[in-house]
Amino acid sequence: MAQSPLIQRLLDELERLPGIGPKSAQRIAYWLLNTDENQARRLAESIVEVKQNIHFCRNCFNYAQADVCPICADASRDQTAIAVVAEPRDIVAIERTGSYHGLYHVLGGALSPMDGIGPEQLTITELMGRLVDSGLQEVILATSPNVEGETTAVYLARMIAPLGIRTTRLASGLPVGGDLEFADEVTLGRAFDDRHEFS
């Protein structure tokens, strides 16, 4: 049975979203068709509003509605530590832990020569500018523990070393609730390397 051209256009647009395949697109499309018009309009308006009013923070390149993001504007944050992340969504993940109260810097991706992403495509120059005469005592390299994240962390560590600022890397290893038999060799090796006293 042929789809209405309007429904097909909606399905096509939904499938462009990351992680949304044909079945998920169909589920969302039919939910939108069955919900009341006000709810659908609120969703559409919020998407347009975000696109018109959200930009990058001038300090850290997180998403912001004002000139600076809420984290940079918060004077109670620890001004001596800065966590370097690849994407704004990484900040959300770290903030959910409630374990870190310092500043951030968003690179806008990770080094990936195969994809044509070099230092010039990231906010590394801006990061280095923030580190000079900043009073920062620690730079936490909080990039993902994959090839691109590791490459980025090594590159940044070399860049930061001459500044004399302590540079740390997030520990990596076995996830809580994970089984050893399902851990890959690199993850298991890191778990052994980063082991600590048990008390």
Side-chain angles (χ1 to χ4, degrees), residues 78-129:
D78 179 0
Q79 305 292 308
T80 66
I82 187 167
V84 180
V85 298
E87 302 289 349
R89 65 177 170 258
D90 300 330
I91 293 176
V92 175
I94 294 169
E95 286 294 297
R96 269 198 311 258
T97 70
S99 299
Y100 177 71
H101 307 287
L103 305 174
Y104 291 95
H105 186 87
V106 181
L107 295 171
L111 293 174
S112 179
M114 300 269 296
D115 298 319
I117 302 173
E120 314 77 37
Q121 281 73 46
L122 305 177
T123 62
I124 293 173
T125 302
E126 292 83 354
L127 170 64
M128 298 308 292

Side-chain angles (χ1 to χ4, degrees), residues 22-198:
K23 288 187 178 183
S24 295
Q26 192 173 47
R27 227 180 355 262
I28 295 167
Y30 286 115
W31 177 84
L32 288 167
L33 287 167
N34 290 319
T35 194
D36 75 51
E37 188 175 337
N38 288 333
Q39 192 163 359
R41 190 177 307 281
R42 284 194 305 273
L43 174 62
E45 287 170 356
S46 69
I47 292 170
V48 171
E49 194 173 3
V50 160
K51 290 302 292 178
Q52 289 175 343
N53 297 300
I54 300 296
H55 54 271
F56 291 118
C57 171
R58 69 177 164 88
N59 289 342
C60 73
F61 299 91
N62 186 13
Y63 290 126
Q65 189 170 344
D67 197 28
V68 296
C69 72
I71 292 173
C72 287
D74 184 354
S76 71
R77 303 281 306 197
D78 179 0
Q79 305 292 308
T80 66
I82 187 167
V84 180
V85 298
E87 302 289 349
R89 65 177 170 258
D90 300 330
I91 293 176
V92 175
I94 294 169
E95 286 294 297
R96 269 198 311 258
T97 70
S99 299
Y100 177 71
H101 307 287
L103 305 174
Y104 291 95
H105 186 87
V106 181
L107 295 171
L111 293 174
S112 179
M114 300 269 296
D115 298 319
I117 302 173
E120 314 77 37
Q121 281 73 46
L122 305 177
T123 62
I124 293 173
T125 302
E126 292 83 354
L127 170 64
M128 298 308 292
R130 289 181 74 187
L131 299 182
V132 176
D133 300 324
S134 63
L136 285 162
Q137 296 172 13
E138 182 181 13
V139 177
I140 304 161
L141 302 176
T143 54
S144 295
N146 55 26
V147 173
E148 294 82 5
E150 291 294 328
T151 302
T152 305
V154 169
Y155 179 86
L156 290 174
R158 287 185 184 144
M159 295 278 292
I160 297 165
L163 301 177
I165 300 172
R166 178 177 181 233
T167 305
T168 59
R169 180 88 171 108
L170 289 183
S172 58
L174 298 171
V176 173
D179 293 318
L180 286 180
E181 65 181 301
F182 299 119
D184 63 90
E185 294 83 7
V186 174
T187 301
L188 195 51
R190 288 222 177 115
F192 271 95
D193 292 342
D194 295 337
R195 68 190 185 277
H196 58 274
E197 291 290 334
F198 186 73

